[in-house]
Amino acid sequence: MHFNLRGALGIGIPVLLGGAVAIAVAATPARATTWQDTAVSGFPLTVSTFGGAGLGASNGTGVIKLAGTGATWSLHGTVPSGVSLSGTTISYTGPAATATEIVALATDSAGNAEALEIPVAFPATNSIQLGSGSIVTVTVSALALTNVSNTVKFSATSSESNTIHFAESNLPTGLVSGDPVLTFVGGTAAPGTYPGVKVAATDADGAALTGTFKLVVQANAASGYGDEVNRFGNGFDSFRQHQFPGAIIAGWTATQSDPATHFILSAGTHQGALRFEYAPRGTGTGLCVSDPGGGWASDPLRDGLILTSCNTGPFQQFIPQSNGTLLNVATGLFVNPAGKGAQLRGGSSPTPWGGSSYTWTDFSNLPA
């Protein structure tokens, strides 16, 4: 929303330079490219195999001896008080105690692991022996990925039907690990193909299976100077071009000629979040769009969007969702319009008529 001023209309001011008339035009500042991810996919998944062999356990003198090659041993989960592991020897310090079960984990150099569920007894002071029952080997198998709705979903099977969690590593900057779905939502990774991404499937006993795949990221470029615009052409607007903390952010037609609809886009400090600095004619003001969550006395609405001094706090950070909506990090509310010229406000759900779906539009692509 703007006034009919020469400056607001972007009219150049004539100046005399050496007797000639020149037009002073403010240059649009150069900005580092910011990316908004739109899809991820993976292919193909190469699953590794466990490098250990011959796993087992037997009684020693007051201790339990672990056997096997190609792996390093550790104890997993809740370890009974007094039980410890050194190398391949499980020891116990303490009085005779009730029999229980421990889990010994054998991990190879690639991060694959098999677990032994070992029944143990404490027949005497400072003594641990194999208890009654069988030793059970726990493994993870059938690690796979499926590309679903522009995301990558992982699956695997535990031999004990345990819950399995997934973690990805060696991801490009701007993406975070997902369990069991690696999503583009909130991602800011540059588009491209990234080989060598690793996924690990780990069950509740610590048994694990790893694999590697190529990750393809699709993203839209944002120059960093423009506006968030919904499908009706209305974008963020500093009401009446107000430039002070507490100024209202309204919904208004975003154009190149209206400096009230000009903002600088930057990455937030929270993963996948974006921040919007009011920047009439491309010049930052140090004021950023915020949902103060009731923390601003002069805000006409409890969760009405306003300008506040730019900072790294969560109230100024918004995460783009897969449907184009913007979710505030601090309040967990969606940015909703309430008609052209009305203050934007946070809502527990997006508007049903589609006005809450926004797309970052570079200044060069805004209508004149």
Side-chain angles (χ1 to χ4, degrees), residues 2 35 38 69 72 76-77 88 96 133 144 162 164 181 196 214 224 227 258 273 282 330 332 345 349 356 361 363:
H2 68 282
W35 299 101
T38 58
T69 60
T72 302
H76 181 76
T88 59
N162 292 331
I164 295 179
V181 176
K214 290 181 180 180
D227 198 4
D258 186 354
R345 71 282 311 274
S349 61
S356 303
T361 304
F363 178 82

Side-chain angles (χ1 to χ4, degrees), residues 73-265:
W73 288 99
S74 62
L75 296 179
H76 181 76
T78 302
V79 179
S81 177
V83 175
S84 61
L85 172 66
S86 177
T88 59
T89 300
I90 300 175
S91 303
Y92 172 67
T93 301
T98 303
T100 187
E101 180 182 89
I102 62 174
V103 177
L105 195 64
T107 305
D108 69 12
S109 59
N112 302 297
E114 292 188 356
L116 298 183
E117 295 178 344
I118 306 173
V120 296
F122 306 96
T125 300
N126 299 334
S127 176
I128 184 171
Q129 297 285 276
L130 296 178
S132 60
S134 301
I135 297 174
V136 176
T137 301
V138 183
T139 62
V140 173
S141 62
L143 176 60
L145 67 76
T146 307
N147 295 312
V148 181
S149 300
N150 296 322
T151 67
V152 182
K153 184 176 182 178
F154 300 97
S155 60
T157 302
S158 165
S159 62
E160 286 289 280
S161 298
N162 292 331
T163 299
I164 295 179
H165 292 288
F166 300 87
E168 300 83 58
S169 57
N170 199 31
L171 290 167
T173 300
L175 285 179
V176 294
S177 177
D179 178 19
V181 176
L182 175 63
T183 180
F184 68 90
V185 174
T188 57
T193 299
Y194 298 87
V197 175
K198 183 177 180 179
V199 59
T202 306
D203 89 336
D205 281 325
L209 188 60
T210 65
T212 57
F213 62 97
K214 290 181 180 180
L215 179 70
V216 177
V217 177
Q218 298 180 44
N220 291 328
S223 69
Y225 177 47
D227 198 4
E228 283 284 348
V229 184
N230 69 13
R231 64 185 62 182
F232 302 100
N234 293 327
F236 289 8
D237 177 285
S238 181
F239 186 71
R240 297 184 182 273
Q241 298 184 36
H242 288 163
Q243 190 173 311
F244 54 79
I248 289 173
I249 295 298
W252 195 257
T253 305
T255 64
Q256 293 182 5
S257 62
D258 186 354
T261 62
H262 300 168
F263 292 82
I264 292 173
L265 173 71

Side-chain angles (χ1 to χ4, degrees), residues 301-364:
L301 301 172
R302 183 188 186 281
D303 287 290
L305 267 59
I306 59 173
L307 292 176
T308 60
S309 296
C310 294
N311 55 59
T312 58
F315 294 94
Q316 296 183 354
Q317 302 193 43
F318 301 84
I319 299 178
Q321 305 298 295
S322 59
N323 58 0
T325 57
L326 295 170
L327 191 71
N328 185 267
V329 171
T331 65
L333 300 178
F334 295 92
V335 175
N336 287 339
K340 185 175 180 180
Q343 185 179 14
L344 302 180
R345 71 282 311 274
S348 58
S349 61
T351 60
W353 44 274
S356 303
S357 180
Y358 286 88
T359 301
W360 177 258
T361 304
D362 293 345
F363 178 82
S364 60

